[in-house]
Amino acid sequence: MRTPTGGAGHGTATAGERLPAAGRLMSIGTVLGQLRGEFPEVTISKIRFLEAEGLVEPRRTPSGYRKFSQEDVERLAQVLRMQRDHYLPLKVIREHLDAAARGEQVQLPAQGSARDAVATGTGAGEPAFWEAAGERRTAARVSRAELLEAAGVSEAELVEWESYGLLVQDAAGAFDAEAVTVARLVADLGGFGLEPRHLRAMKAAAEREAGLVEQVVAPLRRHRNPQTRAHAEATAKELAALSVRLHAALVQTALGVRLG
């Protein structure tokens, strides 16, 4: 049965269990793969946070792993779409989804921008940006077990990648949420014969690029005005995206020269 929030009811499930209308249950790693086509920045921490807020309720295996139905994935996509396109607080998103589940007509606000959300606020009066920032503080780390599960890699592989500095855990044994993406990409590159020792140059280049971004936004982050600090986060994100695009273009150009 479905709960009022629209997620799967609590309970346990095996990896091969089927739901009557939603198909085979999926691991959180599979869910990430489905969502990232439309939402490339979604992470395991994001899904965990939305679960903690009651916006989705996956089943659990006897060993505690999350198992999602296709309906859960569609609900997550709805939530992410409302955040991206309308900058709504999670409380308002939950109310919209619950109303839609009751068959009520739901009228979403006009699409806005992140800057509008910071300047004017949404929903109950709290700017959506602050809610997103709070989310990052709350769900910015993943445990070792969660990383292994989401990335679909072995402990031996993770230990090797750590030895080359490609993945780094903190004092509590947790990893940054982006570690899932890093692990998957390292594994994919390994399929082409690229070993961790070959990737150290990429790691060093990424750290240099991060240093450049930090230089640009550091004065903004030290500002007392909360909106200026919020602008620093948005600027850092935009600069990082531009840096990635430039890196990709430079690699393509270099390959064009080398391969004729």
Side-chain angles (χ1 to χ4, degrees), residues 73-252:
V73 178
E74 291 167 0
R75 183 176 175 87
L76 284 169
Q78 282 185 292
V79 172
L80 294 171
R81 226 169 267 127
M82 289 185 191
Q83 283 191 310
R84 180 194 64 194
D85 298 340
H86 302 280
Y87 295 92
L88 296 177
L90 294 181
K91 179 181 178 181
V92 176
I93 291 175
R94 188 186 303 110
E95 291 171 354
H96 278 305
L97 292 177
D98 290 347
R102 294 191 297 268
E104 300 175 10
Q105 288 292 107
V106 176
Q107 182 65 42
L108 292 173
Q111 292 189 0
S113 66
R115 183 173 299 178
D116 295 336
V118 172
T120 64
T122 56
E126 181 182 10
F129 184 90
W130 306 131
E131 180 177 49
E135 172 192 322
R136 287 193 293 275
R137 290 192 294 269
T138 303
R141 314 297 287 177
V142 293
S143 70
R144 195 176 192 86
E146 288 170 329
L147 173 58
L148 292 172
E149 177 194 359
V153 300
S154 68
E155 174 68 23
E157 288 174 314
L158 179 55
V159 169
E160 182 183 13
W161 299 342
E162 287 177 300
S163 70
Y164 286 96
L166 298 174
L167 291 163
V168 180
Q169 63 181 14
D170 59 22
F175 295 84
D176 184 90
E178 281 302 307
V180 176
T181 301
V182 173
R184 286 187 163 196
L185 291 173
V186 171
D188 289 344
L189 289 169
F192 290 91
L194 290 175
E195 299 178 8
R197 61 188 175 87
H198 299 138
L199 306 179
R200 287 181 295 183
M202 294 184 184
K203 169 74 171 176
E207 290 177 347
R208 289 194 296 270
E209 290 172 19
L212 290 174
V213 173
E214 184 181 16
Q215 289 179 27
V216 173
V217 302
L220 299 175
R221 295 184 65 224
R222 291 194 294 266
H223 206 281
R224 291 184 178 182
N225 188 324
Q227 291 190 6
T228 301
R229 294 199 301 271
H231 177 61
E233 291 196 40
T235 300
K237 184 176 180 180
E238 184 174 0
L239 286 173
L242 290 171
S243 176
V244 169
R245 290 173 58 191
L246 175 60
H247 180 82
L250 290 173
V251 170
Q252 291 289 350

Side-chain angles (χ1 to χ4, degrees), residues 33-61:
Q34 287 201 15
L35 292 175
R36 278 188 164 164
E38 183 177 354
F39 310 99
E41 295 180 358
V42 69
T43 64
I44 186 173
S45 289
K46 177 76 170 183
I47 295 175
R48 285 170 52 210
F49 178 78
L50 295 177
E51 178 188 355
E53 293 296 308
L55 286 157
V56 66
E57 297 178 23
R59 295 189 179 190
R60 296 275 185 159
T61 66

